[in-house]
Amino acid sequence: MTIPRGDSYLLEGIEMRPAEIEETRKLRIFDGVGEKHLLDMLRPAFLQRFPAGVELVREGDPADFLHVVVEGKVEVFSAYRDRETTVSVLGPGQCFIMAAVVLDRVYLKSARSLTPARILLLPADVVRRVFSDDAAFARCLASDLAASYRMLVKELKNQKLRTGLERLANWLLAHREEMGGANRFELPFEKKVLASRLGMAPEVLSRTFASLVAYKVKVKGAVIEIGDVPALTKLARPTATIDDPAT
Amino acid sequence: MTIPRGDSYLLEGIEMRPAEIEETRKLRIFDGVGEKHLLDMLRPAFLQRFPAGVELVREGDPADFLHVVVEGKVEVFSAYRDRETTVSVLGPGQCFIMAAVVLDRVYLKSARSLTPARILLLPADVVRRVFSDDAAFARCLASDLAASYRMLVKELKNQKLRTGLERLANWLLAHREEMGGANRFELPFEKKVLASRLGMAPEVLSRTFASLVAYKVKVKGAVIEIGDVPALTKLARPTATIDDPAT
DNA sequence: TTTCGCCCTTGACTATTGTCAAGGGTAGGA
DNA sequence: TCCTACCCTTGACAATAGTCAAGGGCGAAA
């Protein structure tokens, strides 16, 4: 299967219908933004559908659009030499490449749809204009950027201070929490992607999972069962300033 | 020598004199901020001197002050278990823990003075108030946060996509550029700190430097001489989306 | 239903990085 | 001036992570 570039889809993009505008206006980043400015941004926006596996954004390209995931999953990644690493996996309500849009710079990361997805595309120049004109929006962006910054600091610490085993153990605990505390859950994406997110080769992830059986972690396909949370926690040693999303 | 906590110095802090206010008002983060609001922030601020080796901020503490380095060098670092890693080393004009101040959260990183230093301390509540009241300041913070975010993305990519040798080679080239392109320069801080910044043990840095003699990099104490820039560049393979500070 | 491709796993090996220990050099304090 | 800490280096070894190759299994498409 050939992977189509996002561009071809963009060209077919259509403007949003009133119902769609209603649906998207309550996204977190628009909190407190004036009616007029909100419409200024949404009117020229596209709500675009993409199949799975499409490259939405390419590292090094100028930032044309602020992207907001409305539906589906998006992998944000970066390549260097023959290597590639995934920086994050985003779901509905999350937006990406805000920093590049605000500063009118080039994208630092690429993005592809992991599943069929609906993405809201806000033209960058309009976003920047509203950023200049609407103080509430500027504050929204600042808060959002601050939160993203903190997430990234945590991720950097996760990478520099932990081994692969520790990263996996902590990821499992964090994801369990996200899933409402169930001790049995399905992986939200392929193991290959998880490996890249955790900063290891897929083969290494396999082996690391294997070494977690000693801590009663069972893996059957995409289904994980955590048999002994205290034991896994003792291994993982989660810490608020890395693992607590609320901190 | 006993390392004093920052707090004891804070208590001795004095308010700024008019001349000092003049000196600090032209810092980048205050660009375009209204006269009144600027004074609102500077009046209750402290311009504080610290000796080398003082812990200025401790990871996990609530964010009391926005810190701006006026003079000296500050190491921003984080600890986990018995490990420690330095996230960045800041110089005059740079400020730290902005995100924590804006969001009224806990510090994610610690900071210590690497040299005797003068730090401008802006009470967090005042900063947040001006952030709410002054649109220009909000935009300044947003831009600054966006720039910091992008730096951090680059750093994460640097860590996840490169080996220690590549990180050192690229760091040397970047620092050479920063020094105006001289092929002979002094390290701006101890090798121990550089190792931690690059994400490796000090012993490993020593060995990595040793393996760079093959590329005509000579090390004598803190003095580095890069004998063959093209050769080192070929090894390092710098890329705009990781290494170019302007990108 | 069958086929094909890709994901995942495992073995064997290599490369990279960290740890422990020892010793030389150097700067600041007594 | 000497002494003492600490930084840096090096050797030897251990742990961690990546690569290459092979094969099983599962799911999407014909």
Side-chain angles (χ1 to χ4, degrees), chain B:
Chain B
M1 164 193 167
T2 321
I3 306 247
R5 277 301 309 282
D7 306 47
S8 53
Y9 290 85
L10 275 185
L11 294 174
E12 299 161 19
I14 53 155
E15 275 112 43
M16 300 174 71
R17 293 186 299 271
E20 294 173 331
I21 290 188
E22 272 317 303
E23 187 185 350
T24 52
R25 78 182 323 156
K26 36 183 182 266
L27 290 170
R28 209 194 38 210
I29 48 159
F30 299 133
D31 254 22
V33 177
E35 190 70 8
K36 180 183 172 306
H37 287 139
L38 184 62
L39 286 177
D40 283 351
M41 280 192 289
L42 289 183
R43 219 175 298 109
F46 299 90
L47 184 61
Q48 184 69 51
R49 274 176 198 282
F50 296 95
V54 174
E55 189 174 4
L56 306 168
V57 149
R58 178 171 294 181
E59 181 175 349
D61 284 355
D64 299 327
F65 294 95
L66 176 59
H67 296 236
V68 185
V69 181
V70 176
E71 201 185 316
K73 277 177 194 155
V74 170
E75 177 186 14
V76 178
F77 66 99
S78 179
Y80 173 72
R81 295 196 174 196
D82 60 342
R83 305 155 216 174
E84 183 180 307
T85 194
T86 113
V87 177
S88 56
V89 178
L90 306 177
Q94 301 187 277
C95 68
F96 53 107
I97 46 181
M98 235 168 32
V101 168
V102 169
L103 297 177
D104 198 4
R105 299 267 178 76
V106 137
Y107 299 129
L108 291 182
K109 307 176 272 189
S110 301
R112 68 168 72 97
S113 53
L114 235 36
T115 63
R118 281 163 69 213
I119 312 275
L120 178 64
L121 300 162
L122 304 161
D125 51 351
V126 179
V127 173
R128 281 191 293 272
R129 188 157 55 241
V130 176
F131 171 71
S132 299
D133 294 348
D134 187 313
F137 185 59
R139 281 185 205 104
C140 274
L141 284 192
S143 297
D144 225 293
L145 282 165
S148 304
Y149 177 85
R150 286 169 68 87
M151 269 196 38
L152 213 51
V153 168
K154 293 178 195 168
E155 186 52 37
L156 185 62
K157 289 164 59 176
N158 193 37
Q159 284 296 323
K160 288 183 78 175
L161 291 167
R162 283 178 173 157
T163 66
L165 179 63
E166 290 170 330
R167 289 198 297 275
L168 175 57
N170 278 291
W171 185 90
L172 287 171
L173 289 173
H175 189 68
R176 173 182 170 276
E177 206 64 35
E178 220 177 299
M179 296 288 92
N183 288 330
R184 207 184 147 84
F185 53 81
E186 208 165 319
L187 292 177
F189 33 72
E190 290 176 337
K191 290 209 182 90
K192 184 169 85 141
V193 176
L194 178 58
S196 179
R197 239 287 359 234
L198 295 175
M200 52 176 103
E203 297 95 324
V204 178
L205 178 63
S206 272
R207 293 195 177 98
T208 309
F209 263 127
S211 73
L212 279 182
V213 299
Y215 297 85
K216 305 234 179 100
V217 174
K218 284 186 210 75
V219 182
K220 207 174 299 174
V223 177
I224 308 293
E225 192 180 329
I226 299 180
D228 186 347
V229 174
L232 188 60
T233 303
K234 190 163 162 244
L235 171 71
R237 290 234 226 158
T239 195
T241 54
I242 300 182
D243 307 286
D244 184 352
T247 293

Side-chain angles (χ1 to χ4, degrees), chain A residues 190-192 203 206-207:
Chain A
E190 291 175 336
K191 290 208 182 90
K192 190 171 76 143
E203 296 96 323
S206 271
R207 295 198 175 95

